[in-house]
């Protein structure tokens, strides 16, 4: 025991005062803890009292860091929301298994929602950019040896098809040709894969919308870059 | 403050302790008395929050004392119960006693 009053750790005291910020009771809290420190130091050792002080300063700082000022104006929407939020966080921390099941449930629900919204977005919110999608068909040629495989149609066959089908079930018939290219520059390390198509339609707007471009019955190209 | 003021169990106990301590009612002895008399060790932060709430409700009034060396030159904040606090205490006591009536046989230790 010394005759001088016991002083708590100066850094911890400054930290506590700073953490309490503009709290109404800031000086009172720091003073009360200062006074209690002397009492603890008398009953135990200085070493014990210093750690006791640091622990209590930390707990008070943590409490005031996340604390809202108490209010008697019950019923304000944000007050209730903040209380609900803090209660939910405390409940989740106290029951980790429950918290894990909540997280998994939310993850599954969000994933399912994203999948369903993706379908709704593609089918309803952003439908195909052309009219009468249900009336568009793609006649293809197959061979007896490659069932289910699309074969290339010769220009002569296309002309026969257009002549025979015109005015019947098919209103307009167009052909297109398509090929992929890889473009690599002399200094560029990235490769560009591109596609090119040529239509033979006299009314190309529908077909062009299908490919996402605007063109006449001539060759158009598009390219996408892959790093 | 208009209308009735209601106090919870902890606030009820704190008001009674402030009345018991009289002119020496500041945070440290309030906390010690709560722990010894009510068997309720309360975190310091929770105590200050409850005291601040009672002040906001108008049940407590606080005044600062003189600066003290043993507190690092800081003053003590002494609390007193206001007339509104006394009314709230009487109301709370009346409600509790009313609810206790008729339950003595069940709740009194045999």
């Amino acid at each position: 025991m010394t005759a001088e009053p016991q002083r708590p750790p100066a850094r911890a005291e400054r930290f506590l005062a700073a953490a309490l910020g503009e709290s109404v009771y800031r000086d009172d809290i720091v003073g009360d803890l200062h006074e209690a420190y002397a009492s603890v130091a008398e009953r135990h050792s200085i070493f014990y009292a210093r750690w006791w002080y640091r622990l209590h300063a930390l707990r008070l700082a943590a409490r005031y860091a996340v604390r809202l000022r108490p209010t008697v104006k019950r019923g304000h929407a944000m007050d209730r929301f903040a209380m609900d939020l803090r209660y939910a966080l405390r409940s989740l921390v106290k029951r980790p298994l429950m918290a894990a099941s909540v997280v998994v449930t939310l993850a599954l629900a969000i994933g399912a929602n994203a999948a369903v919204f993706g379908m709704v977005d593609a089918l309803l919110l952003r439908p195909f950019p052309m009219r009468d999608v249900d009336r568009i068909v793609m006649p293809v040629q197959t061979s007896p040896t490659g069932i289910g495989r699309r074969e290339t149609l010769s220009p002569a066959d296309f002309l026969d098809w257009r002549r025979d089908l015109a005015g019947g079930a098919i209103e307009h018939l167009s052909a297109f040709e398509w090929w992929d290219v890889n473009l690599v520059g002399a200094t560029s390390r990235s490769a560009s894969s591109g596609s090119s198509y040529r239509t033979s339609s006299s009314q190309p707007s529908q077909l062009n919308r299908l490919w996402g471009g605007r063109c006449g019955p001539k060759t158009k190209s598009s390219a996408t870059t892959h790093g | 403050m208009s209308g009735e003021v209601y106090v919870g169990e902890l606030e009820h106990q704190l008001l009674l302790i402030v009345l018991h301590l009289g002119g020496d009612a500041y945070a440290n002895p309030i906390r010690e008395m709560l722990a010894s008399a009510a068997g309720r060790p309360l975190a310091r932060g929770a105590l200050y929050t409850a005291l601040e709430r009672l002040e906001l409700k108008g049940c407590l009034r606080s005044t600062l004392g003189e600066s003290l060396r043993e507190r690092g030159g800081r003053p003590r904040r002494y609390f007193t119960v206001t007339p509104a606090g006394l009314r709230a205490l009487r109301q709370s006591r009346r409600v509790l006693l009313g609810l206790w009536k008729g339950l003595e046989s069940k709740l009194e230790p045999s």
Side-chain angles (χ1 to χ4, degrees), chain B residues 76-109:
Chain B
R76 285 178 181 152
R77 183 180 291 272
Y78 294 103
F79 293 94
T80 50
V81 179
T82 62
L86 289 173
R87 279 199 303 276
L89 269 177
R90 289 191 200 105
Q91 167 73 6
S92 179
R93 179 175 181 270
R94 193 162 48 243
V95 169
L96 287 175
L97 288 176
L99 291 171
W100 267 87
K101 273 183 187 169
L103 297 175
E104 290 82 359
S105 59
K106 291 182 181 175
L107 296 172
E108 290 293 334

PDB file of all heavy atoms in Angstrom, chain B residues 76-109:
ATOM      1  N   ARG B  76     -18.604  13.415  -8.623  1.00  0.00           N
ATOM      2  CA  ARG B  76     -19.604  12.338  -8.560  1.00  0.00           C
ATOM      3  C   ARG B  76     -20.943  12.879  -9.044  1.00  0.00           C
ATOM      4  O   ARG B  76     -21.248  14.055  -8.840  1.00  0.00           O
ATOM      5  CB  ARG B  76     -19.768  11.837  -7.126  1.00  0.00           C
ATOM      6  CG  ARG B  76     -18.632  10.966  -6.662  1.00  0.00           C
ATOM      7  CD  ARG B  76     -18.849  10.553  -5.216  1.00  0.00           C
ATOM      8  NE  ARG B  76     -17.760   9.733  -4.732  1.00  0.00           N
ATOM      9  CZ  ARG B  76     -17.387   9.670  -3.457  1.00  0.00           C
ATOM     10  NH1 ARG B  76     -18.007  10.400  -2.546  1.00  0.00           N
ATOM     11  NH2 ARG B  76     -16.399   8.886  -3.095  1.00  0.00           N
ATOM     12  N   ARG B  77     -21.731  12.012  -9.633  1.00  0.00           N
ATOM     13  CA  ARG B  77     -23.082  12.401 -10.038  1.00  0.00           C
ATOM     14  C   ARG B  77     -24.060  11.751  -9.052  1.00  0.00           C
ATOM     15  O   ARG B  77     -24.193  10.521  -9.029  1.00  0.00           O
ATOM     16  CB  ARG B  77     -23.382  11.944 -11.462  1.00  0.00           C
ATOM     17  CG  ARG B  77     -24.757  12.389 -11.968  1.00  0.00           C
ATOM     18  CD  ARG B  77     -25.001  11.922 -13.386  1.00  0.00           C
ATOM     19  NE  ARG B  77     -24.159  12.609 -14.350  1.00  0.00           N
ATOM     20  CZ  ARG B  77     -24.471  13.762 -14.945  1.00  0.00           C
ATOM     21  NH1 ARG B  77     -25.622  14.333 -14.672  1.00  0.00           N
ATOM     22  NH2 ARG B  77     -23.658  14.312 -15.802  1.00  0.00           N
ATOM     23  N   TYR B  78     -24.698  12.592  -8.263  1.00  0.00           N
ATOM     24  CA  TYR B  78     -25.632  12.086  -7.254  1.00  0.00           C
ATOM     25  C   TYR B  78     -27.055  12.105  -7.799  1.00  0.00           C
ATOM     26  O   TYR B  78     -27.463  13.056  -8.470  1.00  0.00           O
ATOM     27  CB  TYR B  78     -25.555  12.945  -5.990  1.00  0.00           C
ATOM     28  CG  TYR B  78     -24.234  12.840  -5.281  1.00  0.00           C
ATOM     29  CD1 TYR B  78     -23.279  13.843  -5.387  1.00  0.00           C
ATOM     30  CD2 TYR B  78     -23.931  11.734  -4.500  1.00  0.00           C
ATOM     31  CE1 TYR B  78     -22.059  13.756  -4.741  1.00  0.00           C
ATOM     32  CE2 TYR B  78     -22.701  11.632  -3.846  1.00  0.00           C
ATOM     33  CZ  TYR B  78     -21.779  12.644  -3.982  1.00  0.00           C
ATOM     34  OH  TYR B  78     -20.566  12.538  -3.341  1.00  0.00           O
ATOM     35  N   PHE B  79     -27.783  11.039  -7.476  1.00  0.00           N
ATOM     36  CA  PHE B  79     -29.153  10.907  -7.974  1.00  0.00           C
ATOM     37  C   PHE B  79     -30.146  11.098  -6.838  1.00  0.00           C
ATOM     38  O   PHE B  79     -29.905  10.660  -5.704  1.00  0.00           O
ATOM     39  CB  PHE B  79     -29.361   9.523  -8.597  1.00  0.00           C
ATOM     40  CG  PHE B  79     -28.553   9.312  -9.846  1.00  0.00           C
ATOM     41  CD1 PHE B  79     -27.302   8.712  -9.785  1.00  0.00           C
ATOM     42  CD2 PHE B  79     -29.030   9.721 -11.080  1.00  0.00           C
ATOM     43  CE1 PHE B  79     -26.548   8.521 -10.926  1.00  0.00           C
ATOM     44  CE2 PHE B  79     -28.281   9.537 -12.232  1.00  0.00           C
ATOM     45  CZ  PHE B  79     -27.033   8.931 -12.145  1.00  0.00           C
ATOM     46  N   THR B  80     -31.270  11.731  -7.191  1.00  0.00           N
ATOM     47  CA  THR B  80     -32.397  11.834  -6.243  1.00  0.00           C
ATOM     48  C   THR B  80     -33.669  11.462  -6.984  1.00  0.00           C
ATOM     49  O   THR B  80     -33.779  11.670  -8.208  1.00  0.00           O
ATOM     50  CB  THR B  80     -32.545  13.266  -5.697  1.00  0.00           C
ATOM     51  OG1 THR B  80     -32.547  14.174  -6.804  1.00  0.00           O
ATOM     52  CG2 THR B  80     -31.434  13.632  -4.744  1.00  0.00           C
ATOM     53  N   VAL B  81     -34.610  10.917  -6.226  1.00  0.00           N
ATOM     54  CA  VAL B  81     -35.879  10.502  -6.837  1.00  0.00           C
ATOM     55  C   VAL B  81     -36.799  11.720  -6.909  1.00  0.00           C
ATOM     56  O   VAL B  81     -36.962  12.458  -5.926  1.00  0.00           O
ATOM     57  CB  VAL B  81     -36.536   9.379  -6.009  1.00  0.00           C
ATOM     58  CG1 VAL B  81     -37.866   8.963  -6.635  1.00  0.00           C
ATOM     59  CG2 VAL B  81     -35.599   8.181  -5.921  1.00  0.00           C
ATOM     60  N   THR B  82     -37.392  11.933  -8.054  1.00  0.00           N
ATOM     61  CA  THR B  82     -38.282  13.078  -8.264  1.00  0.00           C
ATOM     62  C   THR B  82     -39.709  12.722  -7.805  1.00  0.00           C
ATOM     63  O   THR B  82     -40.015  11.543  -7.569  1.00  0.00           O
ATOM     64  CB  THR B  82     -38.330  13.436  -9.756  1.00  0.00           C
ATOM     65  OG1 THR B  82     -38.872  12.311 -10.449  1.00  0.00           O
ATOM     66  CG2 THR B  82     -36.947  13.754 -10.294  1.00  0.00           C
ATOM     67  N   PRO B  83     -40.583  13.704  -7.682  1.00  0.00           N
ATOM     68  CA  PRO B  83     -41.989  13.388  -7.371  1.00  0.00           C
ATOM     69  C   PRO B  83     -42.608  12.425  -8.381  1.00  0.00           C
ATOM     70  O   PRO B  83     -43.390  11.546  -8.005  1.00  0.00           O
ATOM     71  CB  PRO B  83     -42.665  14.765  -7.420  1.00  0.00           C
ATOM     72  CG  PRO B  83     -41.577  15.729  -7.078  1.00  0.00           C
ATOM     73  CD  PRO B  83     -40.326  15.152  -7.655  1.00  0.00           C
ATOM     74  N   ALA B  84     -42.253  12.581  -9.631  1.00  0.00           N
ATOM     75  CA  ALA B  84     -42.776  11.642 -10.647  1.00  0.00           C
ATOM     76  C   ALA B  84     -42.264  10.232 -10.369  1.00  0.00           C
ATOM     77  O   ALA B  84     -42.994   9.245 -10.569  1.00  0.00           O
ATOM     78  CB  ALA B  84     -42.347  12.096 -12.034  1.00  0.00           C
ATOM     79  N   GLY B  85     -41.011  10.127  -9.927  1.00  0.00           N
ATOM     80  CA  GLY B  85     -40.467   8.807  -9.584  1.00  0.00           C
ATOM     81  C   GLY B  85     -41.183   8.201  -8.400  1.00  0.00           C
ATOM     82  O   GLY B  85     -41.446   6.988  -8.372  1.00  0.00           O
ATOM     83  N   LEU B  86     -41.498   9.037  -7.405  1.00  0.00           N
ATOM     84  CA  LEU B  86     -42.240   8.540  -6.235  1.00  0.00           C
ATOM     85  C   LEU B  86     -43.633   8.047  -6.643  1.00  0.00           C
ATOM     86  O   LEU B  86     -44.102   7.006  -6.182  1.00  0.00           O
ATOM     87  CB  LEU B  86     -42.362   9.648  -5.181  1.00  0.00           C
ATOM     88  CG  LEU B  86     -41.075  10.010  -4.440  1.00  0.00           C
ATOM     89  CD1 LEU B  86     -41.300  11.226  -3.552  1.00  0.00           C
ATOM     90  CD2 LEU B  86     -40.587   8.821  -3.600  1.00  0.00           C
ATOM     91  N   ARG B  87     -44.291   8.826  -7.516  1.00  0.00           N
ATOM     92  CA  ARG B  87     -45.620   8.405  -7.986  1.00  0.00           C
ATOM     93  C   ARG B  87     -45.524   7.075  -8.723  1.00  0.00           C
ATOM     94  O   ARG B  87     -46.349   6.185  -8.545  1.00  0.00           O
ATOM     95  CB  ARG B  87     -46.209   9.474  -8.903  1.00  0.00           C
ATOM     96  CG  ARG B  87     -46.847  10.642  -8.176  1.00  0.00           C
ATOM     97  CD  ARG B  87     -47.786  11.400  -9.108  1.00  0.00           C
ATOM     98  NE  ARG B  87     -47.117  11.884 -10.303  1.00  0.00           N
ATOM     99  CZ  ARG B  87     -46.432  13.027 -10.368  1.00  0.00           C
ATOM    100  NH1 ARG B  87     -46.330  13.803  -9.301  1.00  0.00           N
ATOM    101  NH2 ARG B  87     -45.861  13.407 -11.487  1.00  0.00           N
ATOM    102  N   ALA B  88     -44.494   6.939  -9.546  1.00  0.00           N
ATOM    103  CA  ALA B  88     -44.318   5.695 -10.301  1.00  0.00           C
ATOM    104  C   ALA B  88     -44.072   4.522  -9.353  1.00  0.00           C
ATOM    105  O   ALA B  88     -44.592   3.415  -9.566  1.00  0.00           O
ATOM    106  CB  ALA B  88     -43.164   5.841 -11.280  1.00  0.00           C
ATOM    107  N   LEU B  89     -43.294   4.772  -8.292  1.00  0.00           N
ATOM    108  CA  LEU B  89     -43.035   3.711  -7.313  1.00  0.00           C
ATOM    109  C   LEU B  89     -44.326   3.301  -6.594  1.00  0.00           C
ATOM    110  O   LEU B  89     -44.601   2.108  -6.422  1.00  0.00           O
ATOM    111  CB  LEU B  89     -42.020   4.202  -6.282  1.00  0.00           C
ATOM    112  CG  LEU B  89     -40.550   3.923  -6.577  1.00  0.00           C
ATOM    113  CD1 LEU B  89     -39.684   4.537  -5.490  1.00  0.00           C
ATOM    114  CD2 LEU B  89     -40.281   2.440  -6.685  1.00  0.00           C
ATOM    115  N   ARG B  90     -45.098   4.296  -6.163  1.00  0.00           N
ATOM    116  CA  ARG B  90     -46.362   3.991  -5.454  1.00  0.00           C
ATOM    117  C   ARG B  90     -47.302   3.213  -6.373  1.00  0.00           C
ATOM    118  O   ARG B  90     -47.931   2.245  -5.958  1.00  0.00           O
ATOM    119  CB  ARG B  90     -47.034   5.293  -4.997  1.00  0.00           C
ATOM    120  CG  ARG B  90     -46.310   5.976  -3.862  1.00  0.00           C
ATOM    121  CD  ARG B  90     -47.158   7.103  -3.278  1.00  0.00           C
ATOM    122  NE  ARG B  90     -46.307   8.025  -2.537  1.00  0.00           N
ATOM    123  CZ  ARG B  90     -45.946   9.235  -2.969  1.00  0.00           C
ATOM    124  NH1 ARG B  90     -46.363   9.685  -4.139  1.00  0.00           N
ATOM    125  NH2 ARG B  90     -45.167   9.996  -2.232  1.00  0.00           N
ATOM    126  N   GLN B  91     -47.369   3.654  -7.610  1.00  0.00           N
ATOM    127  CA  GLN B  91     -48.253   2.979  -8.569  1.00  0.00           C
ATOM    128  C   GLN B  91     -47.814   1.524  -8.767  1.00  0.00           C
ATOM    129  O   GLN B  91     -48.626   0.604  -8.748  1.00  0.00           O
ATOM    130  CB  GLN B  91     -48.210   3.744  -9.900  1.00  0.00           C
ATOM    131  CG  GLN B  91     -48.821   3.011 -11.101  1.00  0.00           C
ATOM    132  CD  GLN B  91     -50.334   2.968 -11.030  1.00  0.00           C
ATOM    133  OE1 GLN B  91     -50.931   3.581 -10.136  1.00  0.00           O
ATOM    134  NE2 GLN B  91     -50.947   2.220 -11.934  1.00  0.00           N
ATOM    135  N   SER B  92     -46.508   1.331  -8.926  1.00  0.00           N
ATOM    136  CA  SER B  92     -45.983  -0.018  -9.140  1.00  0.00           C
ATOM    137  C   SER B  92     -46.248  -0.892  -7.912  1.00  0.00           C
ATOM    138  O   SER B  92     -46.656  -2.054  -8.031  1.00  0.00           O
ATOM    139  CB  SER B  92     -44.486   0.067  -9.419  1.00  0.00           C
ATOM    140  OG  SER B  92     -43.943  -1.205  -9.602  1.00  0.00           O
ATOM    141  N   ARG B  93     -46.048  -0.309  -6.734  1.00  0.00           N
ATOM    142  CA  ARG B  93     -46.279  -1.063  -5.486  1.00  0.00           C
ATOM    143  C   ARG B  93     -47.754  -1.430  -5.361  1.00  0.00           C
ATOM    144  O   ARG B  93     -48.104  -2.557  -4.995  1.00  0.00           O
ATOM    145  CB  ARG B  93     -45.839  -0.209  -4.304  1.00  0.00           C
ATOM    146  CG  ARG B  93     -46.039  -0.855  -2.948  1.00  0.00           C
ATOM    147  CD  ARG B  93     -45.452   0.030  -1.857  1.00  0.00           C
ATOM    148  NE  ARG B  93     -45.617  -0.567  -0.545  1.00  0.00           N
ATOM    149  CZ  ARG B  93     -46.661  -0.363   0.242  1.00  0.00           C
ATOM    150  NH1 ARG B  93     -47.647   0.417  -0.159  1.00  0.00           N
ATOM    151  NH2 ARG B  93     -46.741  -0.946   1.436  1.00  0.00           N
ATOM    152  N   ARG B  94     -48.640  -0.450  -5.668  1.00  0.00           N
ATOM    153  CA  ARG B  94     -50.070  -0.705  -5.557  1.00  0.00           C
ATOM    154  C   ARG B  94     -50.487  -1.850  -6.485  1.00  0.00           C
ATOM    155  O   ARG B  94     -51.245  -2.741  -6.100  1.00  0.00           O
ATOM    156  CB  ARG B  94     -50.832   0.581  -5.911  1.00  0.00           C
ATOM    157  CG  ARG B  94     -52.296   0.551  -5.536  1.00  0.00           C
ATOM    158  CD  ARG B  94     -52.908   1.941  -5.496  1.00  0.00           C
ATOM    159  NE  ARG B  94     -52.605   2.743  -6.673  1.00  0.00           N
ATOM    160  CZ  ARG B  94     -51.906   3.875  -6.642  1.00  0.00           C
ATOM    161  NH1 ARG B  94     -51.435   4.330  -5.511  1.00  0.00           N
ATOM    162  NH2 ARG B  94     -51.695   4.547  -7.749  1.00  0.00           N
ATOM    163  N   VAL B  95     -49.970  -1.824  -7.697  1.00  0.00           N
ATOM    164  CA  VAL B  95     -50.310  -2.880  -8.662  1.00  0.00           C
ATOM    165  C   VAL B  95     -49.825  -4.240  -8.156  1.00  0.00           C
ATOM    166  O   VAL B  95     -50.556  -5.235  -8.182  1.00  0.00           O
ATOM    167  CB  VAL B  95     -49.684  -2.561 -10.041  1.00  0.00           C
ATOM    168  CG1 VAL B  95     -49.793  -3.752 -10.980  1.00  0.00           C
ATOM    169  CG2 VAL B  95     -50.363  -1.346 -10.652  1.00  0.00           C
ATOM    170  N   LEU B  96     -48.581  -4.275  -7.664  1.00  0.00           N
ATOM    171  CA  LEU B  96     -48.030  -5.555  -7.199  1.00  0.00           C
ATOM    172  C   LEU B  96     -48.806  -6.083  -5.990  1.00  0.00           C
ATOM    173  O   LEU B  96     -49.124  -7.283  -5.932  1.00  0.00           O
ATOM    174  CB  LEU B  96     -46.552  -5.384  -6.846  1.00  0.00           C
ATOM    175  CG  LEU B  96     -45.602  -5.216  -8.048  1.00  0.00           C
ATOM    176  CD1 LEU B  96     -44.187  -4.923  -7.568  1.00  0.00           C
ATOM    177  CD2 LEU B  96     -45.619  -6.474  -8.904  1.00  0.00           C
ATOM    178  N   LEU B  97     -49.107  -5.190  -5.035  1.00  0.00           N
ATOM    179  CA  LEU B  97     -49.835  -5.642  -3.853  1.00  0.00           C
ATOM    180  C   LEU B  97     -51.235  -6.131  -4.224  1.00  0.00           C
ATOM    181  O   LEU B  97     -51.731  -7.119  -3.672  1.00  0.00           O
ATOM    182  CB  LEU B  97     -49.932  -4.509  -2.822  1.00  0.00           C
ATOM    183  CG  LEU B  97     -48.613  -4.181  -2.106  1.00  0.00           C
ATOM    184  CD1 LEU B  97     -48.805  -2.987  -1.172  1.00  0.00           C
ATOM    185  CD2 LEU B  97     -48.116  -5.390  -1.321  1.00  0.00           C
ATOM    186  N   GLY B  98     -51.852  -5.436  -5.188  1.00  0.00           N
ATOM    187  CA  GLY B  98     -53.174  -5.871  -5.649  1.00  0.00           C
ATOM    188  C   GLY B  98     -53.114  -7.253  -6.262  1.00  0.00           C
ATOM    189  O   GLY B  98     -53.998  -8.090  -6.047  1.00  0.00           O
ATOM    190  N   LEU B  99     -52.087  -7.484  -7.006  1.00  0.00           N
ATOM    191  CA  LEU B  99     -51.948  -8.801  -7.643  1.00  0.00           C
ATOM    192  C   LEU B  99     -51.586  -9.891  -6.639  1.00  0.00           C
ATOM    193  O   LEU B  99     -51.901 -11.066  -6.836  1.00  0.00           O
ATOM    194  CB  LEU B  99     -50.882  -8.729  -8.746  1.00  0.00           C
ATOM    195  CG  LEU B  99     -51.275  -7.908  -9.973  1.00  0.00           C
ATOM    196  CD1 LEU B  99     -50.075  -7.713 -10.900  1.00  0.00           C
ATOM    197  CD2 LEU B  99     -52.400  -8.602 -10.738  1.00  0.00           C
ATOM    198  N   TRP B 100     -50.918  -9.501  -5.552  1.00  0.00           N
ATOM    199  CA  TRP B 100     -50.543 -10.475  -4.531  1.00  0.00           C
ATOM    200  C   TRP B 100     -51.763 -10.936  -3.726  1.00  0.00           C
ATOM    201  O   TRP B 100     -51.769 -12.044  -3.197  1.00  0.00           O
ATOM    202  CB  TRP B 100     -49.530  -9.862  -3.568  1.00  0.00           C
ATOM    203  CG  TRP B 100     -48.104 -10.127  -3.962  1.00  0.00           C
ATOM    204  CD1 TRP B 100     -47.345  -9.400  -4.810  1.00  0.00           C
ATOM    205  CD2 TRP B 100     -47.265 -11.201  -3.505  1.00  0.00           C
ATOM    206  NE1 TRP B 100     -46.094  -9.936  -4.923  1.00  0.00           N
ATOM    207  CE2 TRP B 100     -46.018 -11.043  -4.132  1.00  0.00           C
ATOM    208  CE3 TRP B 100     -47.454 -12.277  -2.638  1.00  0.00           C
ATOM    209  CZ2 TRP B 100     -44.967 -11.929  -3.915  1.00  0.00           C
ATOM    210  CZ3 TRP B 100     -46.397 -13.154  -2.409  1.00  0.00           C
ATOM    211  CH2 TRP B 100     -45.177 -12.981  -3.054  1.00  0.00           C
ATOM    212  N   LYS B 101     -52.780 -10.087  -3.623  1.00  0.00           N
ATOM    213  CA  LYS B 101     -53.934 -10.415  -2.770  1.00  0.00           C
ATOM    214  C   LYS B 101     -54.579 -11.722  -3.229  1.00  0.00           C
ATOM    215  O   LYS B 101     -54.843 -11.917  -4.409  1.00  0.00           O
ATOM    216  CB  LYS B 101     -54.975  -9.286  -2.833  1.00  0.00           C
ATOM    217  CG  LYS B 101     -54.707  -8.187  -1.827  1.00  0.00           C
ATOM    218  CD  LYS B 101     -55.780  -7.126  -1.855  1.00  0.00           C
ATOM    219  CE  LYS B 101     -55.385  -5.960  -0.952  1.00  0.00           C
ATOM    220  NZ  LYS B 101     -56.247  -4.799  -1.132  1.00  0.00           N
ATOM    221  N   GLY B 102     -54.865 -12.550  -2.274  1.00  0.00           N
ATOM    222  CA  GLY B 102     -55.512 -13.833  -2.578  1.00  0.00           C
ATOM    223  C   GLY B 102     -54.554 -14.937  -2.941  1.00  0.00           C
ATOM    224  O   GLY B 102     -54.945 -16.071  -3.153  1.00  0.00           O
ATOM    225  N   LEU B 103     -53.248 -14.580  -3.073  1.00  0.00           N
ATOM    226  CA  LEU B 103     -52.264 -15.599  -3.451  1.00  0.00           C
ATOM    227  C   LEU B 103     -51.336 -15.964  -2.312  1.00  0.00           C
ATOM    228  O   LEU B 103     -50.378 -16.691  -2.514  1.00  0.00           O
ATOM    229  CB  LEU B 103     -51.435 -15.092  -4.641  1.00  0.00           C
ATOM    230  CG  LEU B 103     -52.207 -14.821  -5.947  1.00  0.00           C
ATOM    231  CD1 LEU B 103     -51.285 -14.211  -6.982  1.00  0.00           C
ATOM    232  CD2 LEU B 103     -52.794 -16.117  -6.483  1.00  0.00           C
ATOM    233  N   GLU B 104     -51.652 -15.435  -1.111  1.00  0.00           N
ATOM    234  CA  GLU B 104     -50.747 -15.659   0.010  1.00  0.00           C
ATOM    235  C   GLU B 104     -50.551 -17.149   0.297  1.00  0.00           C
ATOM    236  O   GLU B 104     -49.445 -17.614   0.556  1.00  0.00           O
ATOM    237  CB  GLU B 104     -51.266 -14.966   1.276  1.00  0.00           C
ATOM    238  CG  GLU B 104     -51.199 -13.455   1.246  1.00  0.00           C
ATOM    239  CD  GLU B 104     -52.389 -12.837   0.501  1.00  0.00           C
ATOM    240  OE1 GLU B 104     -53.233 -13.601  -0.002  1.00  0.00           O
ATOM    241  OE2 GLU B 104     -52.438 -11.597   0.396  1.00  0.00           O
ATOM    242  N   SER B 105     -51.643 -17.892   0.223  1.00  0.00           N
ATOM    243  CA  SER B 105     -51.545 -19.324   0.556  1.00  0.00           C
ATOM    244  C   SER B 105     -50.654 -20.063  -0.423  1.00  0.00           C
ATOM    245  O   SER B 105     -49.996 -21.039  -0.070  1.00  0.00           O
ATOM    246  CB  SER B 105     -52.942 -19.945   0.568  1.00  0.00           C
ATOM    247  OG  SER B 105     -53.535 -19.784  -0.698  1.00  0.00           O
ATOM    248  N   LYS B 106     -50.640 -19.563  -1.678  1.00  0.00           N
ATOM    249  CA  LYS B 106     -49.815 -20.243  -2.678  1.00  0.00           C
ATOM    250  C   LYS B 106     -48.367 -19.768  -2.651  1.00  0.00           C
ATOM    251  O   LYS B 106     -47.447 -20.552  -2.942  1.00  0.00           O
ATOM    252  CB  LYS B 106     -50.379 -19.968  -4.082  1.00  0.00           C
ATOM    253  CG  LYS B 106     -51.717 -20.635  -4.352  1.00  0.00           C
ATOM    254  CD  LYS B 106     -52.158 -20.348  -5.764  1.00  0.00           C
ATOM    255  CE  LYS B 106     -53.507 -21.005  -6.011  1.00  0.00           C
ATOM    256  NZ  LYS B 106     -54.065 -20.673  -7.318  1.00  0.00           N
ATOM    257  N   LEU B 107     -48.155 -18.506  -2.343  1.00  0.00           N
ATOM    258  CA  LEU B 107     -46.819 -17.925  -2.511  1.00  0.00           C
ATOM    259  C   LEU B 107     -46.036 -17.803  -1.212  1.00  0.00           C
ATOM    260  O   LEU B 107     -44.805 -17.664  -1.255  1.00  0.00           O
ATOM    261  CB  LEU B 107     -46.926 -16.558  -3.179  1.00  0.00           C
ATOM    262  CG  LEU B 107     -47.491 -16.604  -4.611  1.00  0.00           C
ATOM    263  CD1 LEU B 107     -47.748 -15.205  -5.132  1.00  0.00           C
ATOM    264  CD2 LEU B 107     -46.523 -17.327  -5.526  1.00  0.00           C
ATOM    265  N   GLU B 108     -46.728 -17.787  -0.057  1.00  0.00           N
ATOM    266  CA  GLU B 108     -45.984 -17.698   1.207  1.00  0.00           C
ATOM    267  C   GLU B 108     -45.266 -18.998   1.474  1.00  0.00           C
ATOM    268  O   GLU B 108     -45.838 -20.080   1.246  1.00  0.00           O
ATOM    269  CB  GLU B 108     -46.953 -17.402   2.370  1.00  0.00           C
ATOM    270  CG  GLU B 108     -47.543 -16.002   2.345  1.00  0.00           C
ATOM    271  CD  GLU B 108     -46.512 -14.917   2.588  1.00  0.00           C
ATOM    272  OE1 GLU B 108     -45.495 -15.209   3.243  1.00  0.00           O
ATOM    273  OE2 GLU B 108     -46.715 -13.793   2.095  1.00  0.00           O
ATOM    274  N   PRO B 109     -44.029 -18.940   1.955  1.00  0.00           N
ATOM    275  CA  PRO B 109     -43.347 -20.201   2.272  1.00  0.00           C
ATOM    276  C   PRO B 109     -44.019 -20.915   3.426  1.00  0.00           C
ATOM    277  O   PRO B 109     -44.431 -20.287   4.400  1.00  0.00           O
ATOM    278  CB  PRO B 109     -41.924 -19.739   2.654  1.00  0.00           C
ATOM    279  CG  PRO B 109     -42.070 -18.308   3.014  1.00  0.00           C
ATOM    280  CD  PRO B 109     -43.199 -17.769   2.224  1.00  0.00           C
TER     281      PRO B 109
END
